[in-house]
Amino acid sequence: MTFDYSTLYIGGKWIEPATTATIAVHSPTTEQLIGSVPDGAEADIDRAVAAARAAFDDPVGWATWSPSERADVIERFALELETRSEETARRVSAQNGMPIGLARQFEGAFPAVLLRYFADLASTSPQDEIRPGLLGGSTLVSRLPVGVVGAIVPWNVPQAISFLKLAPALAAGCTVVLKPAPETVLDAFLMAESAEAAGLPPGVLNVVPAGREVGAYLVSHPGVDKVSFTGSTAAGRSVAEACGRLLRPVTLELGGKSAAVVLDDADLDSTIEKFIGATMINNGQICWLNTRILAPKSRYQEILDTVTDIIASLTVGDPLSDSTQVGPLVSARQRQRVEGYIAKGLADGARLTTGGGRPSGDGWFVEPTVFADVDPRAVIAQEEIFGPVLSVIPYTDETQAIAIANDSEYGLGGTVWTADPDRGTAVARRIHSGTVGINGYANDPTAPFGGIKNSGLGRELGPEGLAGYQYPMSIYLDAGTA
């Protein structure tokens, strides 16, 4: 079955695109065509931004509704997404190779969780605050929606990442133009159908799939008030430069090369499922994955053998099969990139303990791969590979482990593995990163997620994520006369 769309969701309607160009979607498993959608052009962005602007500027529209009124519609949106959750998961798996079990959690279930969390947060958080002044008067401080948001999302976890942006933006009263990645567009159109069925007011959400050039046009569009971008660090720099020139607020969630610090008292056998979840899920195609595994020399061979054995045992296959643990990479281009890093690792002297090749048959697969005896400064230990490749790096003591973990241009994720949670927390505090997990890793909706250094700017999730779509306005009441 193929999914073919001929119209775009703009202004609450399905309208003809500005051009006849299309985006063809191919299965990473079979390499066959599985769908197509219009390839958005600048004129489509113009129409989408105009629709979002009109919806935001409406004097009785979305931005002026109370948070509880918006929450009622957001709840309907969540319910519509839930009725389509299995189809959403299957479409994502079919497009980017995410194993279906993971897709049901990340792509099928998490968006509705985020919608409800942020709708409740906005409804229960004070919108206004009276502050007594030092000059004899007082000030009314209000949190207002920032305006029209340009949201650009990647292909690796397309729905969950979309709702990292959509959920707080909608709850805050913003309107959105969403640009999904060309590799994962079929799920975005299903999401738009959910929005329409939920009765989201026209123009509050608009979806225009397109490539990088049109994405850059959206970033710089004069009708956009804020940009939220998730993607590579290189692309993020370009987005940041454009927003800097325009003095436009921007949230950037970029690349990572996170470290899993295995301390000398760690019991990996008892936490192995969580360990694999923190290092290898989604075929290695997640920005916060802990692809650098730091192991003490006193236990290096034992830990290396444990990691190698479990990675070698993972079931590789069709992502739509419930038994599959590792699916294909999203594209032939991505597979070529990952294989280039594997070749570089071998050329630089790292030792392959499992994987490194392609399974037989069709599809853009790479075997789950483990490198041993990796120099901390080697290319495979410093650059983001975005595939199923782990580097196991030895260290002498805790101080050296922390130094190696921090010797990175990135700072997005990380984990510490130990039998002593207090010790793990103490080590985590010394790691230069926006997030660190102890004996596991999970992005909880209540906690801010984001990076430092080349991993980005700003935060998503938690109250901090909602605040990113608001701006504070001060109204001086009975102002003093200093």
Side-chain angles (χ1 to χ4, degrees):
M1 177 182 293
T2 61
F3 302 92
D4 297 302
Y5 290 87
S6 60
T7 54
L8 296 172
Y9 185 67
I10 295 175
K13 299 178 181 179
W14 295 91
I15 66 174
E16 293 296 322
T19 74
T20 59
T22 60
I23 295 172
V25 182
H26 291 83
S27 163
T29 307
T30 66
E31 304 177 35
Q32 301 300 308
L33 183 70
I34 58 172
S36 65
V37 303
D39 189 358
E42 292 183 0
D44 297 310
I45 294 292
D46 287 338
R47 288 190 289 178
V49 172
R53 172 57 57 194
F56 184 79
D57 289 344
D58 184 344
V60 294
W62 185 254
T64 70
W65 293 13
S66 70
S68 60
E69 289 174 321
R70 289 194 292 266
D72 290 340
V73 178
I74 291 172
E75 171 61 22
R76 295 202 300 270
F77 192 9
L79 290 170
E80 292 293 341
L81 289 171
E82 286 176 332
T83 65
R84 297 165 176 82
S85 62
E86 179 65 20
E87 177 63 19
T88 296
R90 294 186 66 82
R91 288 195 187 190
V92 171
S93 293
Q95 292 173 105
N96 72 2
M98 180 184 292
I100 187 65
L102 185 65
R104 289 188 180 110
Q105 298 174 49
F106 281 13
E107 305 294 85
F110 201 47
V113 171
L114 291 175
L115 283 173
R116 292 186 174 114
Y117 168 72
F118 279 107
D120 180 69
L121 182 64
S123 298
T124 57
S125 299
Q127 301 298 299
D128 298 312
E129 174 190 355
I130 300 290
R131 297 184 188 175
L134 296 179
L135 305 178
S138 59
T139 303
L140 170 63
V141 180
S142 297
R143 290 197 170 277
L144 303 176
V146 73
V148 175
V149 175
I152 300 177
V153 299
W155 48 260
N156 61 323
V157 194
Q159 283 303 294
I161 292 176
S162 290
F163 281 89
L164 290 180
K165 307 175 191 310
L166 291 177
L170 295 179
C174 298
T175 59
V176 183
V177 177
L178 178 73
K179 191 204 81 65
E183 293 85 351
T184 46
V185 289
L186 304 178
D187 55 293
F189 278 64
L190 189 64
M191 181 269 290
E193 292 172 5
S194 298
E196 180 184 34
L200 212 62
V204 169
L205 174 61
N206 310 272
V207 181
V208 182
R212 290 186 177 183
E213 293 78 9
V214 174
Y217 183 75
L218 173 62
V219 167
S220 298
H221 198 286
V224 169
D225 298 303
K226 175 189 167 70
V227 172
S228 183
F229 172 86
T230 299
S232 72
T233 295
R237 289 187 188 279
S238 297
V239 172
E241 289 171 1
C243 290
R245 288 192 302 271
L246 295 166
L247 299 179
R248 179 167 293 167
V250 62
T251 298
L252 302 172
E253 197 270 282
L254 308 177
K257 191 68 178 180
S258 303
V261 180
V262 183
L263 297 180
D264 53 17
D265 65 345
D267 178 11
L268 287 189
D269 289 336
S270 67
T271 58
I272 197 64
E273 289 189 12
K274 290 184 178 180
F275 188 81
I276 298 307
T279 59
M280 184 62 79
I281 61 168
N282 200 24
N283 320 325
Q285 298 177 142
I286 290 184
C287 51
W288 49 256
L289 283 180
N290 295 212
T291 55
R292 293 184 294 151
I293 299 172
L294 312 188
K297 288 183 178 179
S298 62
R299 296 181 59 194
Y300 185 77
Q301 191 62 47
E302 170 203 345
I303 292 169
L304 175 62
D305 290 346
T306 297
V307 172
T308 298
D309 290 347
I310 191 66
I311 295 301
S313 72
L314 296 176
T315 301
V316 180
D318 182 352
L320 292 172
S321 169
D322 287 323
S323 64
T324 293
Q325 295 168 290
V326 179
L329 299 182
V330 69
S331 64
R333 177 182 176 184
Q334 186 65 18
R335 179 176 64 177
Q336 183 179 25
R337 169 188 167 88
V338 171
E339 290 178 332
Y341 276 109
I342 293 173
K344 180 63 175 172
L346 291 170
D348 287 346
R351 177 165 58 92
L352 199 64
T353 64
T354 189
R358 296 182 183 180
S360 60
D362 295 331
W364 299 313
F365 290 89
V366 171
E367 293 172 342
T369 299
V370 177
F371 278 106
D373 307 331
V374 178
D375 187 304
R377 296 300 303 167
V379 169
I380 60 170
Q382 289 291 317
E383 296 185 12
E384 185 176 40
I385 298 174
F386 228 61
V389 181
L390 303 180
S391 296
V392 186
I393 302 170
Y395 69 84
T396 302
D397 55 27
E398 190 176 290
T399 298
Q400 186 187 34
I402 293 167
I404 294 172
N406 290 338
D407 184 20
S408 172
E409 65 182 22
Y410 298 106
L412 183 58
T415 51
V416 181
W417 303 83
T418 175
D420 183 348
D422 290 338
R423 182 187 179 197
T425 300
V427 171
R429 288 181 183 276
R430 298 172 64 190
I431 295 174
H432 300 160
S433 179
T435 63
V436 181
I438 308 298
N439 296 326
Y441 186 95
N443 301 133
D444 192 280
T446 66
F449 170 71
I452 61 174
K453 299 189 279 189
N454 284 357
S455 289
L457 300 170
R459 292 294 183 268
E460 296 180 305
L461 297 177
E464 295 82 359
L466 179 64
Y469 294 91
Q470 299 171 320
Y471 73 93
M473 178 183 185
S474 295
I475 301 176
Y476 304 116
L477 308 173
D478 303 320
T481 56

